Amino acid sequence: MVATPPVKSDLVLHEGIILGHPLSDSIAIGAGRILAHGPFADLKALVGPRTHLLKLAGRTVVPGFIDSHLHYLEAAAAVTGLALYRCRTLGDLLADLRLAAGRTPPGNWIRAFGCDESLLIEKRGPTRAELDLGVPKNPLRLRHQTLHASWLNSRAIALLGLEAPGFEPPVGANLMRDASGKLSGLVIGMEEWLAEHLPRVTKAETESRARSLSRELAAAGVTAFTDATVRNNAEDVALFARLAMSGSICQRIGVMIGAAHLQSARQAGEAAQSAGVGVVAAKFMLSADCDLPDLSRRVNLAVELGLDCAFHVTEVEELEHALAAIEVAKSEYAGAPDALPAFRIEHGGMIPPNYIDRIFALGAWVVTNPGFIHYRGAKYVQEPGLIPHLYRAKSLSRAGVKLAGATDAPVTPAKPLAAIAAAISRTTVDGIQLAPEEALGTEQSFTLFTRSAARLMRLDAGDLEAGRLADLVVLAKDPFTLRPSEIANLAVEVTIVDGRVVYERGRPAIASSDSADLQTP
């Protein structure tokens, strides 16, 4: 009988810190999984002639970060287009628009992103006249940072026919008007309509944008994400499948499908499966006048399809509707309890204390956005009565509520380390601390984007244990020894997805070839 030769690893990271394992300084990876960790001397049996060796030199290996809620195509457009979210005055914003107009041929659309009047010193958005003055020869769409509204200049309004006789806006849209009754340029609740009526982005441009964002996510240590865009249908899922298969996106991908498109969920799942993309949830947007019977019917359909149910919740009224729908769904579910899909409260922007036990009793997740406190905290400072209820974490965790973290990119930057730092410090960009009693410890904050996020996404990842998926990140320093401000600025040195280096700071990945010689960089 011939003895089976020992398994050899594809990659060994050695002589550093393996987070959570003080007796280990190295970790071995093979066939996309973690094979073992321990002292380097104990792992040498796993090193063969085709094993890549990457010397950590004291750096720290942590589980890859999972962003549980972002908007990929919007974030890709923001990354590769005109992003204005750093502007804090109307003057700066309009100056950036004028510069963009000077670089754009007359008549071509300008797409910009990132204006939020609550974060500007003037506490208002640009007027139509200001936009016309800054961008006189191009149609302009300036998206609100929340993704729920846009500002348009006169050329855009004319091309879209918004002032044409007989124009009927889509249901739920609000076209704001000035004192004279003329359109002010701000349109709310028309984002899907605008996306359908603006010139289509070419396939080549879509792929280029996707590659750019994927690289940026890898540089931030993101190894998996869930796209939470409510308009996603079978066609959008198929697009993500194509981007994954072409290599334009190197992260693991989960996609939510909009509740209005549940009839195409099975078709979407078939399109996704071949590319390893998961249709993970149905996305529900809630309104103040929500029809609970209709909402419950759609939630039950999602449950029958085996989809998690994700509810957009930033206000108390939305939270009430979501919990009521979950209660109906759970009471009517006839299957085995352990087969019930997950119910997700997305954002949880406002959770009064009397709702916490109810959320726990329903077993619902809260997908929180600690980065909102940091990047968007200035808008909350003026409402001290709301601050104790904003983006709760500690009180939810203490009550046993399951938590995962997300950036909601492009609403905030897709930087999990910055969000983790915010979960620890609860500090705004301006240095103001908001509800410090809701702060989490460093380990809990990392769990939001690792172990808990993996559990919610049903990925066998999030821990540095043998058998787990080899989705890892190498950080310059041990984050558990750093202050929040240092964590936010901590360099990601290497990002590994499925055992393959997809990003290495300062040089190309070294682990993409099966035939490379044994080396010790």
Side-chain angles (χ1 to χ4, degrees):
M1 182 177 180
V2 179
T4 302
V7 173
K8 300 298 181 183
S9 59
D10 300 318
L11 174 66
V12 173
L13 312 177
H14 63 100
E15 299 177 61
I17 297 169
I18 310 302
L19 195 70
H21 301 286
L23 300 181
S24 299
D25 67 6
S26 304
I27 190 164
I29 295 167
R33 298 266 175 177
I34 297 172
L35 297 178
H37 61 77
F40 185 44
D42 293 353
L43 300 187
K44 286 185 176 179
L46 300 176
V47 177
R50 300 168 76 88
T51 302
H52 298 270
L53 294 176
L54 196 158
K55 190 171 184 178
L56 294 168
R59 296 176 294 179
T60 300
V61 179
V62 304
F65 301 126
I66 300 168
D67 197 329
S68 296
H69 178 127
L70 54 68
H71 304 276
Y72 195 89
L73 298 179
E74 287 86 350
V79 163
T80 56
L82 180 60
L84 303 173
Y85 55 80
R86 291 185 180 87
C87 295
R88 287 294 175 263
T89 71
L90 275 172
D92 289 343
L93 184 144
L94 293 168
D96 283 358
L97 288 174
R98 281 195 296 272
L99 287 173
R103 297 190 298 264
T104 306
N108 285 13
W109 275 86
I110 294 177
R111 294 176 171 91
F113 168 80
C115 179
D116 187 335
E117 70 284 357
S118 66
L119 299 177
L120 295 174
I121 288 176
E122 295 85 353
K123 299 300 178 186
R124 68 171 180 85
T127 66
R128 178 173 172 176
E130 288 169 334
L131 294 176
D132 289 346
L133 185 62
V135 186
K137 298 180 180 180
N138 304 84
L140 165 71
R141 180 192 185 187
L142 169 59
R143 295 197 72 181
H144 198 283
Q145 196 169 344
T146 62
L147 302 178
H148 298 309
S150 291
W151 285 270
L152 306 170
N153 67 354
S154 291
R155 282 186 175 267
I157 289 169
L159 283 173
L160 294 168
L162 302 188
E163 291 180 319
F167 172 74
E168 290 289 339
V171 175
N174 190 357
L175 283 66
M176 306 301 291
R177 297 181 181 274
D178 59 24
S180 68
K182 182 180 178 182
L183 291 184
S184 70
L186 176 62
V187 295
I188 302 170
M190 284 186 65
E191 297 307 284
E192 288 189 49
W193 188 94
L194 289 173
E196 292 171 359
H197 288 78
L198 263 67
R200 291 284 183 180
V201 177
T202 66
K203 180 180 178 181
E205 186 177 2
T206 298
E207 289 195 2
S208 176
R209 289 178 175 183
R211 286 182 186 276
S212 294
L213 179 59
S214 183
R215 174 74 177 177
E216 185 161 303
L217 291 177
V222 176
T223 56
F225 65 83
T226 293
D227 183 90
T229 305
V230 72
R231 71 169 180 271
N232 283 338
N233 56 24
E235 184 179 338
D236 296 300
V237 174
L239 172 59
F240 275 106
R242 290 195 299 272
L243 293 172
M245 293 184 72
S246 70
S248 299
I249 300 176
C250 68
Q251 286 79 16
R252 300 185 193 274
I253 304 170
V255 182
M256 294 185 188
I257 190 165
H261 306 294
L262 286 174
Q263 299 299 335
S264 65
R266 288 195 172 89
Q267 177 189 349
E270 292 169 2
Q273 190 172 13
S274 61
V277 174
V279 179
V280 297
K283 177 69 177 292
F284 296 87
M285 295 294 292
L286 307 175
S287 60
D289 57 349
C290 180
D291 182 340
L292 182 58
D294 178 65
L295 174 61
S296 298
R297 179 185 58 79
R298 289 185 290 146
V299 169
N300 286 336
L301 175 58
V303 169
E304 290 172 10
L305 292 167
L307 296 174
D308 292 350
C309 297
F311 302 89
H312 173 95
V313 172
T314 58
E315 305 293 340
V316 176
E317 293 81 6
E318 294 168 336
L319 178 60
E320 177 61 40
H321 291 316
L323 297 183
I326 295 170
E327 286 165 346
V328 171
K330 295 197 77 167
S331 69
E332 295 180 354
Y333 183 67
D338 58 358
L340 191 66
F343 296 102
R344 306 171 43 146
I345 304 300
E346 305 296 311
H347 312 302
M350 182 66 60
I351 302 180
N354 55 307
Y355 280 90
I356 295 176
D357 287 343
R358 189 174 167 195
I359 295 171
F360 170 72
L362 289 172
W365 287 77
V366 173
V367 179
T368 187
N369 307 121
F372 276 41
I373 294 293
H374 182 69
Y375 290 106
R376 299 176 59 76
K379 70 180 294 181
Y380 308 126
V381 171
Q382 306 304 319
E383 301 182 77
L386 301 182
I387 290 173
H389 312 312
L390 286 170
Y391 299 99
R392 288 179 177 272
K394 187 68 173 181
S395 57
L396 291 170
S397 176
R398 190 184 297 118
V401 175
K402 295 171 287 189
L403 292 174
T407 67
D408 200 23
V411 179
T412 69
K415 297 180 178 180
L417 283 169
I420 288 167
I424 302 167
S425 70
R426 302 280 299 189
T427 303
T428 72
V429 170
D430 302 319
I432 301 171
Q433 198 171 34
L434 301 180
E437 66 276 8
E438 290 293 339
L440 297 176
T442 301
E443 185 172 355
Q444 278 184 301
S445 299
F446 267 82
T447 297
L448 294 176
F449 287 88
T450 55
R451 185 183 303 119
S452 291
R455 181 181 167 198
L456 179 58
M457 199 173 172
R458 294 175 177 80
L459 287 178
D460 193 14
D463 290 294
L464 301 180
E465 300 292 350
R468 299 289 193 191
L469 292 171
D471 296 353
L472 313 174
V473 169
V474 178
L475 300 177
K477 298 178 180 179
D478 180 351
F480 286 10
T481 66
L482 302 177
R483 297 188 300 271
S485 60
E486 295 172 314
I487 291 173
N489 295 294
L490 188 56
V492 171
E493 301 279 331
V494 180
T495 299
I496 298 168
V497 178
D498 198 31
R500 185 171 64 88
V501 175
V502 298
Y503 169 81
E504 188 170 6
R505 191 163 71 106
R507 59 179 174 175
I510 62 169
S512 58
S513 170
D514 292 332
S515 58
D517 293 332
L518 182 66
Q519 53 183 299
T520 304

